[in-house]
Amino acid sequence: MATPAANEPQVENDGEEETSSEESEEDCEPKLKYERIGNDLKNKLLSKDCVSCLAVHSKFLVVGTHWGMIHIFDHAGNAIRDKEIAAHTTTVNQLSIDDSGDFIASCSDDGRVLINGLYTADNNQSINFDRPVKAVAIDPKFSKHGSGKSFVTGDDKLILNEKGGLFYRHKTTLLHQGEGLIREIKWKGDFIAWTNDHGVKIFDMSSRTRITFISKDHSYRADLYKCNMCWKDGQTLLLAWADKVKVCIVKERLEKDVRDLPQRYVEITAMFTIDSFACGISPLGESLVILTFEKEAQEEGNRQVSKRPHLLIVEPHMEYFEEISNDALTVRGFQEYKPSDYHLETIEDENLFYIVSPKDIIVSKERDIDDHIIWLLEREEFEEAMLVAEKNEHLLRKLSHKEVARQYLDYLLSEENFEEAAMQCPRILGKNKELWEAETLKFHKLRQLKVLAPYLPRSDPQLSPTIYELVLNDFLNTDAEKFLSLVKEWPSNLYNVQTIITATLDRLDRERNNTVLLRALGELYTLERQYEKSLAIYLKYCSIAKTKERLGNTDVFQLIHKYNLFTSISDKIVQLMEFDDDQAATLLIDNMDKLPIEQVVKQLENHEKFLFAYLDRVCQKDQQLCQAYHGPLVKLYAEFAPKKLLPFLKSSIHYPLQRAMEECEVRGLIPEQVYLLGRMGDLKKALSLITTRLKDVDQAIEFCKDKNDEELWADLIKFSIDKPTFIKGLLHNIGTHVDPIRLIPQIQNGMEIPGLRDSLVKILQDYNLQMSLREGCQRILTADSFNLLDRLVKTQKRAVSVDNSQVCPICQEKILVTDLKFASNVVLFYCRHAFHEDCLPTHGLERCTICSTQRRGPGSKAMVK
């Protein structure tokens, strides 16, 4: 089946440990990473010998050579002392290690099979078969007591070698023969798998029976394209032979078959063909790792040479596969090699894959979180790299979250994306003071401190004062407005204030009229508690700043109020008013206990505008506070706020009327003159101003209504009699105050009066309304009188109680007596007072003497005698 284009991680020929990869067109992340094994393996073995086979264990590597030597290395390629074995006289064909890693089996074309113990020689064996032995497999449980010390050898026969019996003697059992050379044996658990020229067979050691035969299904020569086998687990065998790949699973039969078949059988669960020759196969989870050799050679000079081998990862299926990755490897001398020169071994528990060639061993392993992050960084996907590093920080070995973050920052700075870099600093640098300071210096070097400044921490961590001073100096020289903002915003404990004051003064020496720097200097002096200097700076700022710039600036007023500098400004009130008269007036009024009105007025008396602003604000608060200055205020209002003058004149009586009149006459303020004339009693002149100067009939009518003077009405009618507009106004408005008969007969015949009909209709309507009101009032009054009279009659008809406790107010004796000799008539008044008749004077029987004295009403008349 055709497969997609390959990623091509390369192992360089220079001997470096780390390998690199060429990105594919799809730019997908590789699944594996590669590392050439060096150290003693390279320097001591490969420099003088060639690798013929390899066996791997989680503890070590065992290398067989063409000179018949067996070398043992750790996984980094370092030779293990005293573990070099001169085992054979010619090429080592196959190596096998037991599960515990205590014994090694080897075979060679010299006909010898050796069993060597790494820690004891008690079970060492050396057997000479007098013919080349191509394959060997040691019992995985060889080191265990009672295991039989078994191993299997293969030449043209498959022979099981074991020790047993009474004297623990070596014995052999022929398992298979007659199908050509046995080229490879793999033993896992109870199963032994071997290959020959016809196919693969599996032997079950538990039942001592052969359970399957998997035939060779291609025409390639078995000696050139050997079958590669690997047990994935105790039941799954992986096969890769030439360009065929199979996954075989050993299963149990469910029922006893009548044909007496083995209890176990093999089922092929996946089978497919690849485009190249397989040189090795290993499992990777549910996937397969296949070492492949390209079928077609490539031109190099005038000769045909081999292409690089590939490490292919696929997901197996029946009749097809899904390619996951395909990495081309640069192996030393790959141009000269054939498929039989390559091998693939694996440590399954660790997913380590060893690619073996005569002059090179490369280990491949799954990429970890560090590798994934490095790949993301190479692609400049820094955000994703940071998220992965943060989420998996406990799994990182080579990198750290901070290192990834720093790389991201460095990248942003290199790309001149300064704003984004500054925004990322709090997230990346966190609370690490040293990192913050180092990064600040980078921004300073790039002249980008102004971008970083909003994100600098002020606490937790608090950086060195030098850092904050560096930022302030940068703004001092480049952006005075931002410098002022930072001086106001940053706490003074972050930096040395005196140092910044000195730098600011130096700057002001060159820019003496820089008002922004003056304000900043005032703030700095305030931070140093040098309030007098600060106030002086603000007042200097006032003298040179433009009016628009000064307005709304509250710095100086906040300074005075906050630090109680009223004594210092007692002689600087004019300067404060020049700075901002509205704010200054507010400050002075709110602190009249410290700066009395008299003191302020004295300083402002030659500055009428400021004096008006101050006194006007005082009046708004309470006119009584400045009643002594109401006279001057009339002039100030007339000059600076004429619209406020009339309300002031109406609300105050503490000003000389004649002086106020003169001010109004000078400025031609007619409504104010009308009001003042009204107060002075010259009503006719006031009305004359309204009619002649203002020519406002409505105001004239309102004035007459307000004064309710018959002579004024007569004057107004006289003035209006030849003026149609005035007559119209009078007809509309005087019906309820003046009898229209006084006006109508005086109107000249033939005079055209606009809206006369409407005016007459309105007069009649007003008259009807008045009559209706009078009749209604009359009805209400009559009804109320009858109701009250009825209530009085009912009240006076009620009985009045007199008991033994009451006494006569005149003689102070009880009203009621039981002795008839002293009995007397009783006079009882409606007011509830009771008297003895004999005690009252003859003329006093009609009214109660007590109530008459107190001038009470009708209830004082007698009601009972």
Side-chain angles (χ1 to χ4, degrees), residues 164-176:
L166 181 61
F167 300 103
Y168 202 57
R169 292 180 178 179
H170 178 267
K171 67 175 183 177
T172 61
T173 304
L174 180 63
L175 300 180
H176 181 71

Side-chain angles (χ1 to χ4, degrees), residues 100 133 160 185 191 237 293 311 352 375 384 406 414 447 513 580 589 618 658 669 707 734 739 769 775 795 861:
S100 63
V133 180
L160 173 64
I185 305 171
F191 303 109
L237 179 65
F293 182 91
L311 197 63
L352 297 176
W375 182 78
E384 180 67 19
R406 290 293 298 277
S414 67
R447 302 180 182 276
N513 294 328
D580 189 328
I589 291 168
V618 174
Q658 188 58 42
L669 303 175
K707 302 305 179 182
I734 69 171
D739 189 350
L769 178 61
E775 290 173 358
T795 301
K861 292 185 178 181

Side-chain angles (χ1 to χ4, degrees), residues 536-549:
I537 290 295
Y538 279 123
L539 294 177
K540 181 181 178 182
Y541 161 76
C542 167
S543 65
I544 62 176
K546 297 179 180 178
T547 303
K548 185 176 181 180
E549 182 181 349

